[in-house]
Amino acid sequence: MAISEELATLREQTLARIADASDTAALDEVRVSVVGKSGTLTAYLRNMREVPKEERAQVGKAVNEARNVIEGALDARRKELAAAELEASINAAAVDITLPGRAQQIGTRHLINRMTDEICDIFLGLGYTVASGPEIETDYYNFTALNAPADHPSRSMQDTFYVLDRSGDAAAVRGESDVLLRTQTSGVQVHVMEDQKPPIYIVAPGKVYRRDVADPSHLPQFTQIEGLVVDKGITFGDLKGTLDYFCKHLFGNDRKTRFRAHYFPFTEPSAEVDVSCGICHGEGCRFCKGTGWLEILGCGMVDPNVLEMSGIDPEVYSGFAFGVGVERVACLKYDIPDLRLLLQGDMRFLRQF
Ligand code: DAH
């Protein structure tokens, strides 16, 4: 076969293979096999010496022509395939903007923190400030300075967890540790009276601990808010007015309060405060166990001994104190039947508030 015919055949076959190439990789194979270093067309140029002299110019021209046509076709087909491949990859990675979005889970403040702030806010509005004290406390601040010395029977109501120091101190190991998880926020009263001169108007929110097994109405850890007022001429009337205002603000203006005589070692006289039941409005129902009243806090006039132990002259100053259980108030306000729900972290429960 004459060289020119061979070249024409090679050219046609190559153009057909180019048109058939289904992707850029296949196209590249065609390119390498024809116009690459050892390609079939390149071989003609390499072997030019073997072509008779008089035909060389003509063959050379035909080879170059074939190469130009083939390279042009390769180029056009590469552009076509590359565009198709790009489109395919864009389609594959496309986002379906009609799908509903994935909403971020938004947390809520825990009911106990919200209640704590709500209670403190009522007193902030009356000009009180917020104080705080340590959760790991000494026996002195938790009991002794609150008029409950070591042998006082009221201590047995508030058993707690004692803390051993790291040295493994022998007395601590025998259970005679002086360091404990506080059972009440009342110790903050003592810290404040030691550090500040009257007039004192504070509320002190915080966690407290008792050696209790969790049940619907007891938790081994809960939250209290302590209140303390020390000033000249403070009377039981101030205490009653303040706590009545507090209860109405928290539960609603239609609620009544009553004070029942009680005992606390650090106040004299002492009282427990009940608020009228919001469900039966005082008629008596299951929620208030038929009494028409719900107990919400303890309070009293600060015992002169307590003032004196903290360096305040009871001849000059008098005061009142109170302690509110935040979980209890939350349960009364939102009809929660079991205190343990507040500690379980179940979002289905907590999101309601
Ligand atoms: N600390 C008391 C308790 O945990 C509550 C209490 C009662 C606090 C009377 C007071 C108070 O400040 O005056 O049971």
Side-chain angles (χ1 to χ4, degrees):
M1 208 193 313
I3 290 182
S4 59
E5 273 174 52
E6 276 177 31
L7 281 173
T9 310
L10 178 60
R11 187 168 126 167
E12 291 320 306
Q13 279 173 351
T14 306
L15 290 178
R17 286 174 66 197
I18 289 172
D20 278 353
S22 55
D23 54 36
T24 47
L27 189 67
D28 219 44
E29 269 171 37
V30 179
R31 184 185 60 77
V32 170
S33 71
V34 180
V35 294
K37 251 193 222 155
S38 1
T40 44
L41 187 65
T42 315
Y44 285 95
L45 291 174
R46 287 245 176 98
N47 302 332
M48 205 52 100
R49 242 178 292 131
E50 286 154 33
V51 177
K53 241 184 182 169
E54 56 282 9
E55 289 178 32
R56 272 187 204 159
Q58 204 200 338
V59 171
K61 200 175 154 209
V63 172
N64 278 331
E65 236 177 58
R67 200 164 69 177
N68 286 342
V69 170
I70 289 169
E71 282 181 344
L74 280 169
D75 230 39
R77 184 70 181 145
R78 179 175 304 108
K79 281 185 188 138
E80 238 170 68
L81 289 172
E85 282 167 16
L86 179 65
E87 188 164 311
S89 79
I90 289 173
N91 285 340
V95 176
D96 181 352
I97 55 165
T98 65
L99 278 176
R102 253 173 255 150
Q104 276 288 346
Q105 283 224 16
I106 297 177
T108 55
R109 297 195 64 207
H110 195 280
L111 177 60
I112 294 309
N113 294 328
R114 255 198 40 210
M115 263 338 289
T116 304
D117 282 359
E118 200 177 313
I119 294 170
C120 288
D121 274 352
I122 296 174
F123 287 98
L124 289 176
L126 291 173
Y128 288 52
T129 53
V130 173
S132 64
E135 285 174 34
I136 298 175
E137 190 52 287
T138 59
D139 180 280
Y140 177 78
Y141 286 98
N142 196 72
F143 293 121
T144 309
L146 290 165
N147 217 18
D151 57 356
H152 199 281
S154 74
R155 284 192 176 209
S156 58
M157 305 291 293
Q158 298 189 358
D159 195 9
T160 184
F161 304 94
Y162 285 80
V163 179
L164 302 183
D165 71 14
R166 272 194 232 166
S167 65
D169 174 59
V173 173
R174 279 200 309 273
E176 295 165 14
S177 170
D178 268 350
V179 183
L180 46 80
L181 297 186
R182 67 180 177 188
T183 61
Q184 50 188 351
T185 44
S186 302
V188 184
Q189 290 184 24
V190 182
H191 287 289
V192 171
M193 287 190 285
E194 284 179 354
D195 296 347
Q196 272 172 245
K197 295 220 164 321
I200 293 169
Y201 290 81
I202 58 112
V203 278
K207 291 193 191 89
V208 299
Y209 305 83
R210 305 244 174 126
R211 217 203 68 175
D212 277 334
V213 176
D215 69 23
S217 54
H218 294 87
L219 293 175
Q221 177 214 299
F222 58 101
T223 314
Q224 276 188 341
I225 298 178
E226 191 76 17
L228 175 71
V229 168
V230 180
D231 206 343
K232 286 181 180 159
I234 297 293
T235 68
F236 200 85
D238 296 313
L239 169 62
K240 282 188 86 171
T242 303
L243 293 181
D244 186 64
Y245 170 86
F246 162 68
C247 290
K248 288 194 160 66
H249 228 77
L250 191 61
F251 293 106
N253 257 331
D254 55 329
R255 306 294 277 273
K256 295 190 186 65
T257 52
R258 79 173 179 189
F259 288 67
R260 268 183 297 106
H262 197 77
Y263 173 78
F264 296 105
F266 37 88
T267 44
E268 181 60 37
S270 304
E272 276 188 333
V273 177
D274 298 336
V275 63
S276 58
C277 178
I279 293 184
C280 64
H281 302 286
E283 299 279 306
C285 66
R286 265 172 55 203
F287 193 64
C288 58
K289 299 198 180 87
T291 63
W293 295 97
L294 302 161
E295 179 200 321
I296 77 149
L297 57 82
C299 64
M301 300 307 289
V302 182
D303 192 298
N305 275 344
V306 173
L307 293 175
E308 204 160 356
M309 274 189 276
S310 300
I312 290 176
D313 185 352
E315 297 297 329
V316 181
Y317 293 103
S318 57
F320 64 75
F322 54 88
V324 195
V326 179
E327 284 77 1
R328 198 179 160 73
V329 170
C331 289
L332 294 183
K333 192 161 172 166
Y334 295 105
D335 302 340
I336 299 166
D338 190 330
L339 286 176
R340 291 173 295 187
L341 286 165
L342 295 168
L343 289 192
Q344 281 162 359
D346 184 334
M347 290 300 282
R348 292 167 305 177
F349 170 74
L350 295 173
R351 278 225 189 84
Q352 302 175 79
F353 306 104

